[in-house]
Amino acid sequence: MRSTISGYTRLPKIHKFSVAGIAATGAAVVAVAVAPHAFAAGTASDASVKPVAWSAEAFGETQQDALEAQTAAAVTAAKADAGKVSAEKARAEKQAANRSTERKAIEAKPAAPAKPAAPAKPAAPAAKPAAPAKKAYADNVDGWISEALDILRAKGIPASYEGIKKNVMRESTGNPRAINDWDVNAVNGVPSKGLLQMIDPTFKAYHVEGTSWDIYDPVANITAACNYAADKYGSMDNVNSAY
């Protein structure tokens, strides 16, 4: 059966039971107030019952207002919580976007150009080969002839050890300071000198480059005489007498 109490139909089931109970209680109180004699036994004769201060209709409206206020408060709180969640989510998304932007900026930053490699140092020049040790020759007739022959071969002048030595021994007996002051050359003022008895004009004309200009130098005297003999006789080997 539909209730005629204003706002009653909008109450939930439990509230409806509460209102029904309160209404029954109120009716009983009213009955007592109307017929106080019915409850005279066991009560004071001067006792009075105060009338009910509210009606069921007023109670229902009050409960409904309270419920509506609570619902509105719950909705407001839920919206506030949702707003906080949305704000936190937006903040988190913004931070993530910022980190993504920074990461992309770092990744997009061009790498620093590689430093050019230092030019290779030029290789140190190879050490010059050591000059061959100068050949040593004995300071005697054999040593002088050997040294003269090395020079003659380098210059392409023909001669032999035997051909030189036989003429040296015949002309000066191996004395590099020998001088002839009695022959025709001496008479003419140009005496023969040295191991192979050369006169100064012939020595100067046939001097071999790289030797001394001293006519008494044994090597210079031999090389100049061999150069002259090669020109006049083909070789010192072909000379068997004074020249």
Side-chain angles (χ1 to χ4, degrees):
M1 178 177 181
R2 185 176 181 84
S3 174
T4 59
I5 301 174
S6 176
Y8 180 79
T9 57
R10 296 193 303 270
L11 295 177
K13 186 176 182 180
I14 189 169
H15 291 162
K16 289 179 179 180
F17 286 140
S18 297
V19 170
I22 293 171
T25 304
V29 172
V30 170
V32 171
V34 172
H37 60 274
F39 297 93
T43 61
S45 61
D46 59 348
S48 61
V49 179
K50 293 182 179 181
V52 177
W54 61 81
S55 66
E57 183 179 358
F59 178 81
E61 292 178 355
T62 302
Q63 287 292 320
Q64 181 62 28
D65 292 341
L67 287 173
E68 290 178 354
Q70 289 177 0
T71 301
V75 170
T76 302
K79 289 182 178 180
D81 291 341
K84 290 181 181 180
V85 171
S86 298
E88 290 295 332
K89 183 177 180 181
R91 189 179 302 108
E93 290 176 352
K94 183 177 180 181
Q95 290 176 352
N98 291 339
R99 285 195 295 271
S100 177
T101 303
E102 293 173 357
R103 187 179 303 110
K104 288 181 179 179
I106 293 173
E107 292 174 353
K109 186 177 181 181
K115 292 183 179 179
K121 292 183 179 179
K128 293 182 179 179
K134 188 176 181 179
K135 187 176 180 179
Y137 300 96
D139 190 19
N140 54 32
V141 173
D142 292 336
W144 300 330
I145 294 174
S146 296
E147 185 174 356
L149 281 171
D150 287 342
I151 296 172
L152 292 170
R153 293 189 188 105
K155 301 295 183 179
I157 300 171
S160 70
Y161 179 88
E162 293 77 10
I164 295 171
K165 189 171 184 179
K166 72 178 182 179
N167 283 286
V168 166
M169 298 308 293
R170 184 182 68 244
E171 295 292 337
S172 64
T173 65
N175 180 9
R177 304 299 299 180
I179 184 171
N180 186 328
D181 54 4
W182 52 267
D183 65 4
V184 66
N185 291 324
V187 172
N188 294 330
V190 284
S192 301
K193 303 173 182 177
L195 288 177
L196 289 171
Q197 293 294 285
M198 297 189 73
I199 60 176
D200 287 330
T202 304
F203 174 79
K204 290 178 182 178
Y206 288 92
H207 173 264
V208 175
E209 185 180 0
T211 62
S212 172
W213 284 93
D214 181 3
I215 195 172
Y216 290 107
D217 181 88
V219 175
N221 189 280
I222 293 172
T223 54
C226 288
N227 193 23
Y228 170 79
D231 182 47
K232 300 301 181 181
Y233 306 104
S235 171
M236 181 61 74
D237 295 345
N238 300 328
V239 176
N240 296 310
S241 62
Y243 51 91

